[in-house]
Amino acid sequence: MNNKELFDILQKIFLVDGVMHKRYVHTVGVIEMALTLNKVHNLGIDENKIMIACGLHDMSKLMPKENMLEILNDNYPDEFDELLEFPQIWHGYVARIVAEEKYNIKDKDILNAIKYHTTGRIEMSNLEKIVFLSDYIEKNTRISDAMVETRKIAYNNLDKAVVKSLEDTIEYLTKENKKIYQKTLETYQYYLNKGKCDV
């Protein structure tokens, strides 16, 4: 998939009633931020991989709930009951399936980056990390003080930024009395401990 094909897909997905949805602006911001982090940290990740992973990460966000549930049930039978409790993460899991089945994306690193962009996971690849972080700190729509602070951290240390972004998420969900997905907690603890070991 080249850049033109990717943006053609995105414009079709996010064009709603003749108006480009704000999710498109967010997606462009995620692409730009991930490309920046790749350069800042000299990661050497193929830019086309970054653009595909970032470009498709939210493509299922506007999908009807019924369609998402069908895809989840068909593809994640062992996790389905647990996933029912966390609708805020469905779109990543669904997008991973759509990316592979509809757009023929076979690269496991790209597929994992799409699937886990909301929750993170232990032992993320560099691509997974920059997609995960860019979703939280892109400049087009992420303007809160916490996001700006995390962005500054991300320019210096990706793992520390992962910890900070998860801290913010856990704190927000706790204040809202919302249940926290187990993988989010596992990811936070893993990178918190990793940071302590790296000192």
Side-chain angles (χ1 to χ4, degrees):
M1 182 185 298
N2 60 40
N3 293 349
K4 183 182 184 305
E5 291 170 335
L6 175 63
F7 279 97
D8 284 347
I9 289 168
L10 293 178
Q11 287 168 6
K12 289 176 183 176
I13 290 171
F14 294 121
L15 188 66
V16 181
D17 297 328
V19 178
M20 196 60 68
H21 194 277
K22 64 181 180 180
R23 189 60 49 179
Y24 177 80
V25 177
H26 163 71
T27 298
V28 171
V30 174
I31 292 171
E32 292 171 346
M33 179 54 63
L35 290 172
T36 297
L37 292 176
N38 187 41
K39 289 179 180 177
V40 166
H41 293 286
N42 297 309
L43 300 177
I45 304 170
D46 180 86
E47 290 193 350
N48 185 245
K49 285 182 61 167
I50 293 172
M51 294 190 69
I52 292 171
C54 292
L56 300 182
H57 84 286
D58 267 358
M59 67 173 166
S60 300
K61 195 81 172 180
L62 306 183
M63 184 181 289
K65 178 180 177 181
E66 295 75 16
N67 294 18
M68 295 177 78
L69 285 170
E70 183 178 351
I71 291 172
L72 291 171
N73 190 36
D74 288 346
N75 293 277
Y76 305 102
D78 295 338
E79 301 170 75
F80 183 70
D81 288 342
E82 183 182 12
L83 286 169
L84 285 176
E85 300 182 61
F86 301 96
Q88 66 272 23
I89 70 169
W90 292 354
H91 66 284
Y93 281 64
V94 170
R96 183 246 183 266
I97 300 302
V98 176
E100 182 171 19
E101 294 186 352
K102 184 174 181 177
Y103 298 113
N104 201 35
I105 304 300
K106 302 301 182 184
D107 188 303
K108 296 299 182 185
D109 201 15
I110 293 175
L111 295 174
N112 281 334
I114 292 171
K115 179 179 180 181
Y116 297 112
H117 79 267
T118 301
T119 63
R121 69 179 183 118
I122 64 172
E123 298 181 340
M124 285 188 283
S125 68
N126 283 328
L127 176 63
E128 290 176 78
K129 285 181 192 176
I130 63 173
V131 175
F132 172 82
L133 286 170
S134 297
D135 182 50
Y136 186 69
I137 63 173
E138 56 89 4
K139 295 181 178 181
N140 290 350
T141 64
R142 307 306 203 198
I143 58 176
S144 74
D145 290 343
M147 293 166 181
V148 171
E149 183 181 350
T150 305
R151 189 183 305 139
K152 291 178 182 177
I153 296 170
Y155 286 148
N156 292 297
N157 188 299
L158 294 177
D159 287 353
K160 288 181 179 178
V162 167
V163 172
K164 175 65 168 60
S165 65
L166 289 168
E167 279 179 351
D168 293 343
T169 298
I170 291 168
E171 181 180 349
Y172 169 77
L173 292 173
T174 301
K175 283 182 179 179
E176 295 293 315
N177 292 315
K178 294 182 177 180
K179 191 174 181 181
I180 302 168
Y181 189 50
Q182 183 60 33
K183 194 171 292 294
T184 299
L185 295 172
E186 290 173 359
T187 306
Y188 172 66
Q189 199 60 55
Y190 174 83
Y191 282 97
L192 184 64
N193 292 339
K194 187 174 184 293
K196 292 175 182 176
C197 293
D198 289 345
V199 173

